[in-house]
Amino acid sequence: AEEVGGGDKEVVREYFNNNGFERWRKIYGETDDVNRVQRDIRLGHSKTVENAILMLKDEGSLQGVTVCDAGCGTGSLAVPLAKEGAIVLATDISAAMVAEAEKQAREQLQSESENGAPIMPKFEVRDLESLDGKYDTVVCLDVLIHYPQNKADGMIAHLASLAENRLILSFAPKTFYYDMLKRIGELFPGPSKATRAYLHSEGDIERALRKVGWKIRKRGLISTQFYFANLIEAVPV
Ligand code: SAM
C-alpha cells in the first residue's frame, strides 16, 4: 500500500502549501506557540543550518560565491547565506514557502547595511528536478526525508549536475535505532503527520553520489531528542 507512484511529489507539494506550511513555518520561526517536540525539532534544525554554514565557510569567504538552495523552505539558510555575501538562488516546490522565504529576506536583509547591503536572494517556485544552470555550491537540507531512496538517487544525481564544487545534503539517517523509533512512531500516527518520512542510510546516499562521480568529504550527525540528521559535504572525485 506504501508503494510509491508518481504521486509522491504532488502530495508533498500540496502538504507544504497547506498544513505542512503552517506547521513548519511555526517550527522554523521564533514564536512561542510550539509544543515541546516542535521546540526540540526547531533546535535540531537550527543546528543543521548552523553546521551547514560552517561547512560552507570552511573553504573561505562566501562573498560572491553562487549557491543554489534547493527546497529552501522559509529561508532559514538562504537568508544567512545572503548576509555572508553569497549570491543565492532559493527555490522550493511550495509557493507558500517561497513567499514566506521572500518575506523573511526582505525583513532581515533590507535593514542590514553594515558592509554594503547584502544581495537579495533570487526566489523561484520550482521543484528541484527542474532546476538548471551551474552554481559553485548546491545545498539541499532536510528535503530527502520526503522521498524514498529510489527517488532520492535521481534527485542527488540532478543536484550534483548543477554543482561545480560542492554539494551539501542533510537527510534523516536510517540507523537501526532510529528506524526502530520511527516504526514505533508509526503505530501512533498524529494528525499532523500528513506525509510519510523516509529514512536514508549513509551508504545508500554515498552510492548514489559515487554513481555520478562524487564522494563524501565531510560528514556529521546532528541529533536532539526528536531530530536526527546526517549532514554531508560531497565533492567531485
Ligand atoms: N531546506 C529548508 C530548511 O532546512 O529550512 C526546508 C526543509 S522542509 C522540511 C522541506 C522543504 O522541501 C519544504 O519547503 C518543501 O516544500 C520542499 N520540497 C519538498 N520536495 C521538493 C522538491 N521535489 N523540490 C523542491 N522542494 C521540495
Side-chain angles (χ1 to χ4, degrees):
E2 301 278 25
E3 224 10 85
V4 187
D8 251 17
K9 200 156 80 174
E10 287 320 310
V11 172
V12 169
R13 188 199 315 272
E14 159 77 16
Y15 173 69
F16 280 107
N17 271 319
N18 296 289
N19 290 352
F21 172 67
E22 293 306 332
R23 172 177 157 84
W24 289 98
R25 181 180 54 169
K26 223 161 73 172
I27 291 175
Y28 293 158
E30 284 170 356
T31 53
D32 285 332
D33 57 344
V34 284
N35 63 36
R36 193 170 69 87
V37 174
Q38 291 170 331
R39 190 177 296 277
D40 180 84
I41 295 172
R42 177 188 281 177
L43 174 68
H45 172 260
S46 73
K47 288 187 185 186
T48 295
V49 171
E50 231 169 79
N51 280 290
I53 293 171
L54 287 178
M55 265 182 179
L56 279 156
K57 293 199 334 194
D58 223 23
E59 302 298 308
S61 161
L62 292 175
Q63 196 71 42
V65 173
T66 53
V67 180
C68 174
D69 181 9
C72 66
T74 59
S76 307
L77 179 74
V79 173
L81 288 186
K83 285 186 188 167
E84 296 287 336
I87 298 164
V88 182
L89 172 65
T91 62
D92 200 284
I93 196 172
S94 155
M97 284 292 187
V98 172
E100 176 65 21
E102 203 161 5
K103 177 169 162 251
Q104 290 297 329
R106 242 181 282 117
E107 285 173 10
Q108 295 183 46
L109 297 177
Q110 274 173 3
S111 52
E112 288 235 348
S113 54
E114 283 155 33
N115 18 325
I119 303 170
M120 276 289 272
K122 195 168 149 197
F123 292 97
E124 287 179 11
V125 181
R126 292 173 78 155
D127 58 49
L128 64 86
E129 294 81 355
S130 72
L131 290 171
D132 51 17
K134 286 279 182 194
Y135 310 88
D136 178 88
T137 302
V138 174
V139 189
C140 185
L141 300 184
D142 292 4
V143 176
L144 293 176
I145 188 161
H146 304 296
Y147 298 92
Q149 188 61 38
N150 65 350
K151 292 266 167 74
D153 274 30
M155 295 166 84
I156 289 171
H158 185 59
L159 292 174
S161 78
L162 306 169
E164 265 154 359
N165 290 313
R166 291 183 293 195
L167 178 58
I168 293 179
L169 296 173
S170 71
F171 54 93
K174 188 173 192 166
T175 57
F176 172 72
Y177 170 71
Y178 188 44
D179 205 24
M180 187 180 70
L181 275 186
K182 192 191 153 249
R183 265 180 283 138
I184 294 168
E186 275 171 359
L187 299 175
F188 308 98
S192 53
K193 287 191 188 161
T195 54
R196 269 206 66 169
Y198 297 94
L199 310 176
H200 301 279
S201 78
E202 201 169 301
D204 286 343
I205 299 289
E206 200 154 16
R207 243 186 311 281
L209 286 162
R210 212 177 309 129
K211 259 198 287 186
V212 291
W214 285 62
K215 63 165 193 239
I216 297 179
R217 175 165 71 179
K218 285 179 201 151
R219 53 188 103 214
L221 174 69
I222 291 121
S223 73
T224 60
Q225 231 182 329
F226 298 100
Y227 176 96
F228 299 81
N230 273 343
L231 178 69
I232 58 145
E233 179 187 68
V235 292
V237 174

Tab-separated table of all heavy atoms in Angstrom, residues 77-139:
chain	number	residue	atom	x	y	z
A	77	LEU	N	18.243	29.043	5.640
A	77	LEU	CA	19.631	29.032	5.193
A	77	LEU	C	19.899	30.160	4.195
A	77	LEU	O	20.929	30.830	4.267
A	77	LEU	CB	19.963	27.686	4.537
A	77	LEU	CG	21.381	27.583	4.002
A	77	LEU	CD1	22.380	27.422	5.155
A	77	LEU	CD2	21.536	26.426	3.023
A	78	ALA	N	18.959	30.370	3.290
A	78	ALA	CA	19.181	31.347	2.208
A	78	ALA	C	19.459	32.749	2.766
A	78	ALA	O	20.347	33.456	2.261
A	78	ALA	CB	17.965	31.377	1.274
A	79	VAL	N	18.736	33.137	3.799
A	79	VAL	CA	18.895	34.496	4.326
A	79	VAL	C	20.275	34.697	4.971
A	79	VAL	O	20.992	35.634	4.608
A	79	VAL	CB	17.727	34.870	5.281
A	79	VAL	CG1	17.981	36.205	5.956
A	79	VAL	CG2	16.402	34.882	4.515
A	80	PRO	N	20.694	33.806	5.891
A	80	PRO	CA	22.056	33.981	6.424
A	80	PRO	C	23.141	33.886	5.359
A	80	PRO	O	24.175	34.562	5.471
A	80	PRO	CB	22.199	32.877	7.475
A	80	PRO	CG	20.973	32.068	7.446
A	80	PRO	CD	19.944	32.800	6.664
A	81	LEU	N	22.932	33.066	4.320
A	81	LEU	CA	23.956	32.985	3.262
A	81	LEU	C	24.074	34.310	2.531
A	81	LEU	O	25.177	34.753	2.193
A	81	LEU	CB	23.628	31.873	2.258
A	81	LEU	CG	23.806	30.446	2.749
A	81	LEU	CD1	23.576	29.473	1.598
A	81	LEU	CD2	25.189	30.242	3.349
A	82	ALA	N	22.937	34.951	2.283
A	82	ALA	CA	22.969	36.267	1.629
A	82	ALA	C	23.717	37.262	2.513
A	82	ALA	O	24.486	38.092	2.028
A	82	ALA	CB	21.550	36.739	1.336
A	83	LYS	N	23.514	37.152	3.824
A	83	LYS	CA	24.229	38.046	4.755
A	83	LYS	C	25.731	37.858	4.662
A	83	LYS	O	26.506	38.772	4.900
A	83	LYS	CB	23.788	37.784	6.203
A	83	LYS	CG	22.406	38.343	6.521
A	83	LYS	CD	22.084	38.177	7.994
A	83	LYS	CE	20.632	38.548	8.252
A	83	LYS	NZ	20.155	38.121	9.584
A	84	GLU	N	26.156	36.634	4.325
A	84	GLU	CA	27.585	36.332	4.168
A	84	GLU	C	28.117	36.770	2.812
A	84	GLU	O	29.272	36.512	2.489
A	84	GLU	CB	27.843	34.835	4.329
A	84	GLU	CG	27.539	34.277	5.710
A	84	GLU	CD	28.575	34.685	6.750
A	84	GLU	OE1	29.714	34.998	6.358
A	84	GLU	OE2	28.225	34.707	7.945
A	85	GLY	N	27.255	37.334	1.987
A	85	GLY	CA	27.721	37.825	0.696
A	85	GLY	C	27.534	36.860	-0.461
A	85	GLY	O	27.938	37.143	-1.594
A	86	ALA	N	26.928	35.695	-0.195
A	86	ALA	CA	26.719	34.714	-1.268
A	86	ALA	C	25.634	35.202	-2.227
A	86	ALA	O	24.743	35.960	-1.842
A	86	ALA	CB	26.326	33.360	-0.674
A	87	ILE	N	25.743	34.766	-3.464
A	87	ILE	CA	24.711	35.061	-4.466
A	87	ILE	C	23.819	33.839	-4.516
A	87	ILE	O	24.216	32.776	-4.994
A	87	ILE	CB	25.366	35.338	-5.828
A	87	ILE	CG1	26.255	36.576	-5.684
A	87	ILE	CG2	24.309	35.538	-6.911
A	87	ILE	CD1	27.231	36.752	-6.807
A	88	VAL	N	22.607	33.991	-3.958
A	88	VAL	CA	21.783	32.821	-3.666
A	88	VAL	C	20.573	32.718	-4.588
A	88	VAL	O	19.829	33.683	-4.769
A	88	VAL	CB	21.277	32.879	-2.194
A	88	VAL	CG1	20.459	31.635	-1.851
A	88	VAL	CG2	22.443	33.040	-1.220
A	89	LEU	N	20.385	31.525	-5.139
A	89	LEU	CA	19.108	31.185	-5.774
A	89	LEU	C	18.398	30.259	-4.806
A	89	LEU	O	18.903	29.189	-4.461
A	89	LEU	CB	19.329	30.466	-7.114
A	89	LEU	CG	18.036	29.899	-7.732
A	89	LEU	CD1	17.063	31.024	-8.120
A	89	LEU	CD2	18.347	29.021	-8.935
A	90	ALA	N	17.231	30.696	-4.313
A	90	ALA	CA	16.476	29.906	-3.345
A	90	ALA	C	15.189	29.437	-3.999
A	90	ALA	O	14.398	30.245	-4.478
A	90	ALA	CB	16.179	30.745	-2.103
A	91	THR	N	15.007	28.118	-4.025
A	91	THR	CA	13.834	27.574	-4.723
A	91	THR	C	13.117	26.567	-3.852
A	91	THR	O	13.723	25.942	-2.971
A	91	THR	CB	14.254	26.854	-6.020
A	91	THR	OG1	15.099	25.755	-5.667
A	91	THR	CG2	14.990	27.783	-6.960
A	92	ASP	N	11.836	26.432	-4.091
A	92	ASP	CA	11.055	25.439	-3.356
A	92	ASP	C	9.862	25.033	-4.201
A	92	ASP	O	9.342	25.829	-4.983
A	92	ASP	CB	10.589	26.023	-2.012
A	92	ASP	CG	10.212	24.947	-1.004
A	92	ASP	OD1	9.103	24.361	-1.147
A	92	ASP	OD2	11.002	24.683	-0.079
A	93	ILE	N	9.431	23.810	-4.014
A	93	ILE	CA	8.261	23.291	-4.733
A	93	ILE	C	6.983	23.989	-4.250
A	93	ILE	O	5.991	24.028	-4.968
A	93	ILE	CB	8.177	21.752	-4.507
A	93	ILE	CG1	7.244	21.090	-5.507
A	93	ILE	CG2	7.753	21.418	-3.086
A	93	ILE	CD1	7.284	19.563	-5.449
A	94	SER	N	7.013	24.544	-3.042
A	94	SER	CA	5.823	25.165	-2.446
A	94	SER	C	5.836	26.684	-2.624
A	94	SER	O	6.755	27.372	-2.165
A	94	SER	CB	5.773	24.821	-0.948
A	94	SER	OG	5.039	25.789	-0.229
A	95	ALA	N	4.812	27.197	-3.286
A	95	ALA	CA	4.697	28.647	-3.483
A	95	ALA	C	4.555	29.363	-2.146
A	95	ALA	O	5.078	30.474	-1.960
A	95	ALA	CB	3.504	28.962	-4.385
A	96	ALA	N	3.864	28.719	-1.189
A	96	ALA	CA	3.685	29.337	0.131
A	96	ALA	C	5.041	29.501	0.819
A	96	ALA	O	5.325	30.554	1.414
A	96	ALA	CB	2.750	28.479	0.984
A	97	MET	N	5.871	28.472	0.723
A	97	MET	CA	7.207	28.535	1.328
A	97	MET	C	8.049	29.636	0.674
A	97	MET	O	8.717	30.408	1.362
A	97	MET	CB	7.931	27.192	1.171
A	97	MET	CG	7.451	26.116	2.114
A	97	MET	SD	7.889	26.502	3.832
A	97	MET	CE	7.394	24.975	4.634
A	98	VAL	N	8.021	29.688	-0.645
A	98	VAL	CA	8.831	30.687	-1.340
A	98	VAL	C	8.389	32.103	-0.947
A	98	VAL	O	9.220	32.980	-0.699
A	98	VAL	CB	8.763	30.486	-2.876
A	98	VAL	CG1	9.440	31.628	-3.610
A	98	VAL	CG2	9.406	29.153	-3.251
A	99	ALA	N	7.081	32.309	-0.839
A	99	ALA	CA	6.577	33.632	-0.449
A	99	ALA	C	7.050	33.992	0.956
A	99	ALA	O	7.447	35.135	1.226
A	99	ALA	CB	5.049	33.649	-0.524
A	100	GLU	N	7.028	33.007	1.849
A	100	GLU	CA	7.468	33.255	3.227
A	100	GLU	C	8.985	33.539	3.267
A	100	GLU	O	9.435	34.443	3.976
A	100	GLU	CB	7.115	32.047	4.111
A	100	GLU	CG	7.599	32.132	5.550
A	100	GLU	CD	6.952	33.251	6.368
A	100	GLU	OE1	5.852	33.715	5.977
A	100	GLU	OE2	7.548	33.657	7.384
A	101	ALA	N	9.746	32.774	2.490
A	101	ALA	CA	11.206	32.978	2.457
A	101	ALA	C	11.526	34.380	1.940
A	101	ALA	O	12.399	35.076	2.464
A	101	ALA	CB	11.869	31.917	1.583
A	102	GLU	N	10.778	34.797	0.947
A	102	GLU	CA	10.997	36.114	0.360
A	102	GLU	C	10.679	37.213	1.376
A	102	GLU	O	11.399	38.208	1.495
A	102	GLU	CB	10.116	36.250	-0.887
A	102	GLU	CG	10.629	37.264	-1.859
A	102	GLU	CD	10.049	37.072	-3.263
A	102	GLU	OE1	9.171	36.201	-3.460
A	102	GLU	OE2	10.476	37.825	-4.152
A	103	LYS	N	9.615	36.992	2.130
A	103	LYS	CA	9.227	37.950	3.164
A	103	LYS	C	10.319	38.035	4.237
A	103	LYS	O	10.722	39.136	4.658
A	103	LYS	CB	7.895	37.484	3.779
A	103	LYS	CG	7.376	38.322	4.913
A	103	LYS	CD	5.939	37.923	5.264
A	103	LYS	CE	5.566	38.428	6.639
A	103	LYS	NZ	5.450	37.336	7.644
A	104	GLN	N	10.812	36.869	4.661
A	104	GLN	CA	11.890	36.841	5.655
A	104	GLN	C	13.118	37.594	5.153
A	104	GLN	O	13.749	38.338	5.890
A	104	GLN	CB	12.286	35.386	5.970
A	104	GLN	CG	11.235	34.613	6.736
A	104	GLN	CD	10.966	35.196	8.112
A	104	GLN	OE1	11.860	35.763	8.754
A	104	GLN	NE2	9.727	35.096	8.574
A	105	ALA	N	13.433	37.367	3.888
A	105	ALA	CA	14.622	38.011	3.320
A	105	ALA	C	14.442	39.521	3.306
A	105	ALA	O	15.356	40.273	3.666
A	105	ALA	CB	14.877	37.481	1.913
A	106	ARG	N	13.261	39.962	2.904
A	106	ARG	CA	13.017	41.404	2.857
A	106	ARG	C	13.144	42.009	4.249
A	106	ARG	O	13.787	43.039	4.449
A	106	ARG	CB	11.636	41.695	2.261
A	106	ARG	CG	11.742	42.506	0.971
A	106	ARG	CD	10.401	42.845	0.361
A	106	ARG	NE	9.839	41.710	-0.342
A	106	ARG	CZ	8.693	41.088	-0.030
A	106	ARG	NH1	7.982	41.497	1.014
A	106	ARG	NH2	8.273	40.084	-0.730
A	107	GLU	N	12.539	41.346	5.251
A	107	GLU	CA	12.587	41.871	6.617
A	107	GLU	C	14.008	41.874	7.177
A	107	GLU	O	14.417	42.813	7.837
A	107	GLU	CB	11.683	41.026	7.529
A	107	GLU	CG	10.209	41.315	7.313
A	107	GLU	CD	9.308	40.360	8.088
A	107	GLU	OE1	9.804	39.590	8.938
A	107	GLU	OE2	8.088	40.381	7.821
A	108	GLN	N	14.734	40.800	6.915
A	108	GLN	CA	16.032	40.651	7.578
A	108	GLN	C	17.193	41.279	6.817
A	108	GLN	O	18.202	41.596	7.420
A	108	GLN	CB	16.337	39.169	7.803
A	108	GLN	CG	15.364	38.494	8.762
A	108	GLN	CD	15.770	37.052	9.004
A	108	GLN	OE1	16.935	36.763	9.249
A	108	GLN	NE2	14.812	36.137	8.919
A	109	LEU	N	17.056	41.392	5.518
A	109	LEU	CA	18.211	41.856	4.748
A	109	LEU	C	18.187	43.345	4.460
A	109	LEU	O	19.232	43.968	4.339
A	109	LEU	CB	18.332	41.088	3.428
A	109	LEU	CG	18.583	39.584	3.570
A	109	LEU	CD1	18.609	38.912	2.210
A	109	LEU	CD2	19.898	39.328	4.299
A	110	GLN	N	16.976	43.904	4.369
A	110	GLN	CA	16.951	45.308	3.984
A	110	GLN	C	17.421	46.227	5.091
A	110	GLN	O	17.938	47.301	4.841
A	110	GLN	CB	15.559	45.703	3.469
A	110	GLN	CG	15.467	45.387	1.984
A	110	GLN	CD	14.085	45.575	1.415
A	110	GLN	OE1	13.164	46.002	2.117
A	110	GLN	NE2	13.924	45.258	0.146
A	111	SER	N	17.289	45.746	6.351
A	111	SER	CA	17.747	46.575	7.466
A	111	SER	C	19.270	46.490	7.631
A	111	SER	O	19.887	47.329	8.247
A	111	SER	CB	17.052	46.130	8.752
A	111	SER	OG	17.218	44.745	8.915
A	112	GLU	N	19.849	45.433	7.083
A	112	GLU	CA	21.300	45.214	7.210
A	112	GLU	C	22.043	46.002	6.149
A	112	GLU	O	21.862	45.792	4.977
A	112	GLU	CB	21.629	43.745	6.960
A	112	GLU	CG	21.207	42.860	8.070
A	112	GLU	CD	22.359	42.030	8.599
A	112	GLU	OE1	23.402	42.005	7.932
A	112	GLU	OE2	22.197	41.447	9.666
A	113	SER	N	22.894	46.915	6.583
A	113	SER	CA	23.680	47.558	5.536
A	113	SER	C	25.037	47.991	6.047
A	113	SER	O	25.565	49.010	5.673
A	113	SER	CB	22.907	48.741	4.940
A	113	SER	OG	22.520	49.592	5.985
A	114	GLU	N	25.602	47.148	6.932
A	114	GLU	CA	26.896	47.487	7.515
A	114	GLU	C	28.015	47.457	6.476
A	114	GLU	O	28.553	48.478	6.100
A	114	GLU	CB	27.227	46.552	8.681
A	114	GLU	CG	26.456	46.934	9.935
A	114	GLU	CD	26.270	45.766	10.880
A	114	GLU	OE1	27.166	44.911	10.939
A	114	GLU	OE2	25.216	45.712	11.550
A	115	ASN	N	28.320	46.251	5.991
A	115	ASN	CA	29.362	46.183	4.960
A	115	ASN	C	28.720	46.115	3.581
A	115	ASN	O	28.882	45.157	2.843
A	115	ASN	CB	30.332	45.020	5.171
A	115	ASN	CG	29.794	43.964	6.092
A	115	ASN	OD1	29.078	44.289	7.038
A	115	ASN	ND2	30.103	42.712	5.839
A	116	GLY	N	27.943	47.118	3.275
A	116	GLY	CA	27.257	47.125	1.989
A	116	GLY	C	26.047	46.213	2.084
A	116	GLY	O	26.125	45.156	2.674
A	117	ALA	N	24.914	46.628	1.520
A	117	ALA	CA	23.695	45.827	1.619
A	117	ALA	C	23.920	44.472	0.971
A	117	ALA	O	24.498	44.384	-0.100
A	117	ALA	CB	22.554	46.552	0.939
A	118	PRO	N	23.491	43.384	1.652
A	118	PRO	CA	23.639	42.077	1.035
A	118	PRO	C	22.750	41.973	-0.203
A	118	PRO	O	21.722	42.645	-0.295
A	118	PRO	CB	23.173	41.103	2.115
A	118	PRO	CG	22.467	41.898	3.139
A	118	PRO	CD	22.812	43.330	2.950
A	119	ILE	N	23.156	41.138	-1.132
A	119	ILE	CA	22.355	40.952	-2.331
A	119	ILE	C	21.174	40.064	-1.991
A	119	ILE	O	21.351	38.990	-1.417
A	119	ILE	CB	23.196	40.292	-3.448
A	119	ILE	CG1	24.429	41.158	-3.730
A	119	ILE	CG2	22.363	40.073	-4.707
A	119	ILE	CD1	25.442	40.502	-4.634
A	120	MET	N	19.968	40.516	-2.314
A	120	MET	CA	18.769	39.711	-2.060
A	120	MET	C	18.886	38.391	-2.822
A	120	MET	O	19.252	38.390	-3.997
A	120	MET	CB	17.525	40.429	-2.586
A	120	MET	CG	16.951	41.452	-1.629
A	120	MET	SD	16.162	40.668	-0.196
A	120	MET	CE	14.523	40.440	-0.825
A	121	PRO	N	18.543	37.270	-2.174
A	121	PRO	CA	18.497	36.017	-2.930
A	121	PRO	C	17.439	36.130	-4.027
A	121	PRO	O	16.509	36.927	-3.924
A	121	PRO	CB	18.059	34.981	-1.895
A	121	PRO	CG	18.348	35.592	-0.570
A	121	PRO	CD	18.215	37.076	-0.756
A	122	LYS	N	17.611	35.328	-5.059
A	122	LYS	CA	16.579	35.234	-6.083
A	122	LYS	C	15.689	34.066	-5.675
A	122	LYS	O	16.189	32.989	-5.333
A	122	LYS	CB	17.282	34.937	-7.417
A	122	LYS	CG	16.420	35.151	-8.620
A	122	LYS	CD	17.316	35.107	-9.860
A	122	LYS	CE	16.546	34.569	-11.050
A	122	LYS	NZ	17.449	34.138	-12.127
A	123	PHE	N	14.379	34.311	-5.671
A	123	PHE	CA	13.459	33.265	-5.220
A	123	PHE	C	12.641	32.733	-6.381
A	123	PHE	O	12.117	33.516	-7.188
A	123	PHE	CB	12.510	33.828	-4.162
A	123	PHE	CG	13.204	34.185	-2.877
A	123	PHE	CD1	13.603	35.494	-2.628
A	123	PHE	CD2	13.474	33.212	-1.930
A	123	PHE	CE1	14.255	35.829	-1.448
A	123	PHE	CE2	14.121	33.533	-0.758
A	123	PHE	CZ	14.506	34.847	-0.516
A	124	GLU	N	12.503	31.416	-6.460
A	124	GLU	CA	11.688	30.829	-7.524
A	124	GLU	C	10.919	29.620	-7.014
A	124	GLU	O	11.451	28.830	-6.249
A	124	GLU	CB	12.565	30.396	-8.706
A	124	GLU	CG	13.089	31.570	-9.514
A	124	GLU	CD	13.985	31.128	-10.666
A	124	GLU	OE1	14.050	29.925	-10.977
A	124	GLU	OE2	14.634	32.024	-11.241
A	125	VAL	N	9.661	29.515	-7.472
A	125	VAL	CA	8.868	28.332	-7.156
A	125	VAL	C	9.208	27.269	-8.201
A	125	VAL	O	8.822	27.387	-9.365
A	125	VAL	CB	7.349	28.630	-7.216
A	125	VAL	CG1	6.545	27.375	-6.849
A	125	VAL	CG2	6.995	29.787	-6.308
A	126	ARG	N	10.005	26.285	-7.802
A	126	ARG	CA	10.406	25.219	-8.726
A	126	ARG	C	10.723	23.973	-7.938
A	126	ARG	O	11.309	24.055	-6.855
A	126	ARG	CB	11.686	25.615	-9.463
A	126	ARG	CG	11.513	26.748	-10.409
A	126	ARG	CD	12.837	27.157	-10.950
A	126	ARG	NE	13.278	26.234	-11.994
A	126	ARG	CZ	14.133	26.575	-12.950
A	126	ARG	NH1	14.646	27.783	-12.981
A	126	ARG	NH2	14.481	25.712	-13.854
A	127	ASP	N	10.374	22.829	-8.481
A	127	ASP	CA	10.853	21.623	-7.815
A	127	ASP	C	12.305	21.425	-8.224
A	127	ASP	O	12.747	21.924	-9.262
A	127	ASP	CB	9.968	20.410	-8.116
A	127	ASP	CG	9.853	20.113	-9.580
A	127	ASP	OD1	10.894	20.057	-10.253
A	127	ASP	OD2	8.721	19.951	-10.052
A	128	LEU	N	13.031	20.741	-7.381
A	128	LEU	CA	14.472	20.683	-7.617
A	128	LEU	C	14.809	19.926	-8.896
A	128	LEU	O	15.843	20.153	-9.514
A	128	LEU	CB	15.204	20.114	-6.407
A	128	LEU	CG	14.952	18.679	-5.953
A	128	LEU	CD1	15.834	17.699	-6.694
A	128	LEU	CD2	15.237	18.577	-4.459
A	129	GLU	N	13.910	19.038	-9.314
A	129	GLU	CA	14.145	18.267	-10.541
A	129	GLU	C	14.201	19.171	-11.765
A	129	GLU	O	14.796	18.821	-12.779
A	129	GLU	CB	13.035	17.228	-10.731
A	129	GLU	CG	13.009	16.127	-9.668
A	129	GLU	CD	12.324	16.517	-8.365
A	129	GLU	OE1	11.925	17.698	-8.199
A	129	GLU	OE2	12.194	15.654	-7.487
A	130	SER	N	13.556	20.335	-11.695
A	130	SER	CA	13.516	21.209	-12.873
A	130	SER	C	14.543	22.341	-12.795
A	130	SER	O	14.524	23.254	-13.615
A	130	SER	CB	12.105	21.793	-13.043
A	130	SER	OG	11.873	22.748	-12.033
A	131	LEU	N	15.419	22.291	-11.816
A	131	LEU	CA	16.454	23.326	-11.732
A	131	LEU	C	17.487	23.125	-12.828
A	131	LEU	O	17.776	21.994	-13.208
A	131	LEU	CB	17.158	23.259	-10.372
A	131	LEU	CG	16.336	23.681	-9.165
A	131	LEU	CD1	17.075	23.349	-7.880
A	131	LEU	CD2	16.024	25.166	-9.235
A	132	ASP	N	18.022	24.232	-13.322
A	132	ASP	CA	19.130	24.119	-14.267
A	132	ASP	C	20.178	25.174	-13.958
A	132	ASP	O	20.070	25.881	-12.961
A	132	ASP	CB	18.626	24.215	-15.725
A	132	ASP	CG	17.756	25.442	-15.923
A	132	ASP	OD1	17.799	26.360	-15.065
A	132	ASP	OD2	17.028	25.501	-16.929
A	133	GLY	N	21.183	25.281	-14.783
A	133	GLY	CA	22.257	26.235	-14.535
A	133	GLY	C	23.387	25.597	-13.755
A	133	GLY	O	23.363	24.395	-13.473
A	134	LYS	N	24.383	26.415	-13.426
A	134	LYS	CA	25.549	25.945	-12.668
A	134	LYS	C	25.768	26.861	-11.472
A	134	LYS	O	25.628	28.082	-11.582
A	134	LYS	CB	26.803	25.985	-13.553
A	134	LYS	CG	26.845	24.884	-14.590
A	134	LYS	CD	27.348	23.576	-13.973
A	134	LYS	CE	27.435	22.472	-15.034
A	134	LYS	NZ	27.599	21.149	-14.417
A	135	TYR	N	26.100	26.264	-10.369
A	135	TYR	CA	26.328	27.005	-9.130
A	135	TYR	C	27.615	26.480	-8.516
A	135	TYR	O	27.905	25.287	-8.628
A	135	TYR	CB	25.151	26.793	-8.162
A	135	TYR	CG	23.842	27.045	-8.869
A	135	TYR	CD1	23.204	26.012	-9.556
A	135	TYR	CD2	23.301	28.324	-8.939
A	135	TYR	CE1	22.041	26.245	-10.273
A	135	TYR	CE2	22.132	28.561	-9.653
A	135	TYR	CZ	21.509	27.519	-10.325
A	135	TYR	OH	20.372	27.750	-11.044
A	136	ASP	N	28.344	27.349	-7.840
A	136	ASP	CA	29.525	26.856	-7.147
A	136	ASP	C	29.117	25.739	-6.188
A	136	ASP	O	29.699	24.667	-6.169
A	136	ASP	CB	30.200	27.995	-6.364
A	136	ASP	CG	31.402	27.491	-5.601
A	136	ASP	OD1	32.496	27.472	-6.172
A	136	ASP	OD2	31.239	27.058	-4.428
A	137	THR	N	28.076	26.041	-5.414
A	137	THR	CA	27.637	25.092	-4.385
A	137	THR	C	26.130	24.897	-4.453
A	137	THR	O	25.383	25.855	-4.634
A	137	THR	CB	28.007	25.633	-2.987
A	137	THR	OG1	29.422	25.834	-2.921
A	137	THR	CG2	27.581	24.677	-1.885
A	138	VAL	N	25.701	23.658	-4.298
A	138	VAL	CA	24.269	23.355	-4.200
A	138	VAL	C	24.015	22.788	-2.806
A	138	VAL	O	24.779	21.942	-2.324
A	138	VAL	CB	23.843	22.345	-5.282
A	138	VAL	CG1	22.390	21.922	-5.091
A	138	VAL	CG2	24.038	22.952	-6.675
A	139	VAL	N	22.985	23.302	-2.151
A	139	VAL	CA	22.644	22.827	-0.809
A	139	VAL	C	21.206	22.335	-0.823
A	139	VAL	O	20.335	22.943	-1.459
A	139	VAL	CB	22.771	23.966	0.240
A	139	VAL	CG1	22.643	23.402	1.646
A	139	VAL	CG2	24.081	24.717	0.093
